[in-house]
Amino acid sequence: MHCRAYFLLERDFQELKENNFKGITAFPVSEDLMEWGANIEGLQNTFWHGLFFQLTIHFTSQYNFVPPVVKFITIPFHPNVDQNSGRVCIDFLDDPEKWNTNYTLSSILLALQSVREAAAYIGRVRANESSTGMPFRTFFREVELMALVMLSNPVLENPVNLEAAQMLIKDESLYKQIVLRLFSQPIQYQLKQSHLMITTRHGLE
């Protein structure tokens, strides 16, 4: 017999397919729907555009009472992403007290990608509510705040990757170059070695 989380994730998957968010895909990789893969494309009109990120999302049978564990496989040089594990360090994923049971797979991925996409989603939901009288769910009102920790708008307070945060504050241009340089390397390139090189040289070759 499937657990409650299974049926919620089926619902989330259907919601994701119906909305067809630009630059976002997600798919279950286990029969019980507890393990997922996802891909996020960087936003247009930002230096992240054209960069593609692979992620894993691990749910438990306690979903949606507890948040999933989200990790980047393609680890960006980013203040809010652990450079070793790829784990996304975001308040609503790290702190159970800030998790809301109205959050869904779509809202999590939107928060990682784009405040603009999240805002557009909110607009569509509000329009639907106006025409159908359907209730406006809590997470749509909160997703704009969640999206402040996305790729293109990192939170610099208490960063998990201090080096990335310090570089972004000190020299945003250099930070952008480093991000793009790391993505130009082969997949086998070790990000940790890149960080050591950056720390030592304080710049590009």
Side-chain angles (χ1 to χ4, degrees):
M1 181 180 294
H2 293 304
C3 63
R4 173 179 176 273
Y6 180 92
F7 295 106
L8 289 174
L9 288 166
E10 278 193 324
R11 176 208 64 185
D12 287 2
F13 194 24
Q14 185 62 33
E15 177 190 47
L16 192 66
K17 290 188 291 185
E18 289 176 355
N19 284 280
N20 192 28
F21 298 111
K22 184 176 181 180
I24 292 178
T25 59
F27 43 88
V29 295
S30 64
E31 291 186 2
D32 62 2
L33 302 188
M34 295 297 106
E35 301 290 340
W36 288 65
N39 296 287
I40 295 178
E41 180 182 3
L43 287 177
Q44 290 186 0
N45 302 318
T46 73
F47 73 90
W48 298 95
H49 180 56
L51 304 181
F52 294 84
F53 303 87
Q54 293 181 309
L55 303 96
T56 61
I57 307 172
H58 173 71
F59 296 92
T60 70
S61 60
Q62 297 302 308
Y63 179 76
N64 60 357
F65 295 120
V66 297
V69 175
V70 182
K71 293 183 179 182
F72 280 91
I73 297 176
T74 313
I75 304 177
F77 184 57
H78 190 281
N80 306 127
V81 178
D82 187 290
Q83 64 184 11
N84 296 310
S85 69
R87 182 160 180 162
V88 180
C89 297
I90 300 177
D91 283 350
F92 73 94
L93 292 178
D94 290 337
D95 187 349
E97 293 185 359
K98 295 184 179 180
W99 172 256
N100 189 308
T101 56
N102 288 310
Y103 297 160
T104 68
L105 180 62
S106 292
S107 61
I108 293 169
L109 293 173
L110 284 168
L112 294 177
Q113 188 206 39
S114 166
V115 69
R116 282 176 290 181
E117 288 295 326
Y121 188 21
I122 290 169
R124 291 196 297 272
V125 173
R126 284 176 174 160
N128 185 62
E129 176 193 23
S130 177
S131 62
T132 66
M134 292 177 63
F136 185 69
R137 296 204 297 168
T138 302
F139 91 85
F140 292 127
R141 291 193 290 266
E142 297 185 0
V143 74
E144 291 171 290
L145 296 177
M146 294 158 53
L148 292 176
V149 293
M150 65 182 181
L151 285 171
S152 55
N153 284 275
V155 173
L156 299 179
E157 182 180 354
N158 299 320
V160 65
N161 186 335
L162 183 60
E163 182 183 358
Q166 291 175 336
M167 184 177 295
L168 179 57
I169 294 170
K170 183 178 180 181
D171 191 336
E172 184 175 356
S173 177
L174 178 59
Y175 172 76
K176 293 177 180 178
Q177 291 180 62
I178 293 298
V179 169
L180 295 175
R181 179 187 178 186
L182 292 177
F183 270 85
S184 70
Q185 303 297 329
I187 296 177
Q188 293 79 11
Y189 191 79
Q190 297 297 314
L191 187 58
K192 187 174 182 180
Q193 293 179 358
S194 297
H195 289 173
L196 293 173
M197 293 169 61
I198 295 166
T199 303
T200 302
R201 302 178 185 178
H202 299 285
L204 297 172
E205 292 180 347

